[in-house]
Amino acid sequence: MRGHSTNPAAIEAEIAHLRSLALDALRRHWRVIFGRPPPADLSKDLLRRMIAYRLQERAFGGLDRESLRFLHGLARHGGSPRRRLKPGTVLVRDYQGQRYTVTVVSDGFDWQGATYPSLSAIARAITGTAWSGPRFFALARGNGAPARRNKNASAREGRDGSQPARGMNASEMNTASLPLQTAAHA
């Protein structure tokens, strides 16, 4: 390892040097920087990135307490909290001219009288291809971010030829969960 420095140009040069190192040299570099052997299955790219982060952290400082607390919370709870759909919620999707209705139940999702463990399993059964269930039912964007309402959006046909469910206006297009409606008995 080259000399320890807080000079940004020197840190940048050290990071650039990492790109030229072979896997064995990166592992040796890791041992020097972290004081232990690297995990056996880390790729060259991840080794480089983690070493580069540690070099920058030592030179310029690490994360603030609030960020560390947030990351530790994510690690303790297994990632970011997922959206919880309450049993009774009805998801509606029009796909290739047909309307599909799925009801959230306590142990999964009910579609056509069968209970599925995930929305992705239902999306796969409907489309015949691997789909993200939350994305298919407009609960998440393509990158996994939650869908947001857009009041100024115009109703557009999806790439797959799908349309929002009839009776839904453009601002409701991404809000595919509807409350379960029950008939009042007189």
Side-chain angles (χ1 to χ4, degrees):
M1 181 169 96
R2 296 178 182 174
H4 181 68
S5 174
T6 58
N7 177 351
I11 299 300
E12 194 172 320
E14 179 69 19
I15 292 169
H17 173 69
L18 293 174
R19 291 185 194 105
S20 68
L21 298 178
L23 183 59
D24 288 340
L26 284 169
R27 287 184 175 149
R28 284 191 301 274
H29 214 64
W30 176 288
R31 279 188 211 96
V32 170
I33 289 178
F34 289 94
R36 63 183 183 276
D41 54 350
L42 281 186
S43 68
K44 280 174 60 173
D45 183 57
L46 281 177
L47 285 167
R48 272 190 219 113
R49 288 172 185 258
M50 293 174 80
I51 292 169
Y53 177 83
R54 181 55 64 99
L55 290 170
Q56 293 173 79
E57 180 183 47
R58 284 183 177 173
F60 308 118
L63 297 172
D64 60 30
R65 282 189 183 154
E66 184 179 338
S67 296
L68 287 171
R69 200 173 11 252
F70 174 74
L71 292 173
H72 285 294
L74 290 178
R76 262 193 315 273
H77 296 72
S80 60
R82 299 181 81 175
R83 179 186 301 206
R84 296 279 181 209
L85 298 173
K86 294 179 182 178
T89 302
V90 175
L91 306 175
V92 177
R93 168 66 193 261
D94 280 356
Y95 178 74
Q96 295 184 344
Q98 188 171 349
R99 177 168 285 181
Y100 297 92
T101 304
V102 173
T103 304
V104 179
V105 293
S106 61
D107 57 343
F109 302 90
D110 181 71
W111 178 57
Q112 295 183 334
T115 301
Y116 290 78
S118 71
L119 286 173
S120 296
I122 296 171
R124 193 175 307 112
I126 291 170
T127 65
T129 61
W131 263 83
S132 159
R135 183 175 179 197
F136 182 79
F137 285 98
L139 297 174
R141 289 195 177 151
N143 64 359
R148 292 188 184 136
R149 284 187 181 185
N150 182 351
K151 293 183 173 138
N152 299 323
S154 60
R156 289 182 285 189
E157 187 174 288
R159 277 187 279 163
D160 58 5
S162 62
Q163 292 282 338
R166 287 180 291 285
M168 296 177 94
N169 64 35
S171 68
E172 297 168 324
M173 192 168 156
N174 286 335
T175 309
S177 58
L178 304 171
L180 181 62
Q181 296 178 359
T182 56
H185 296 282

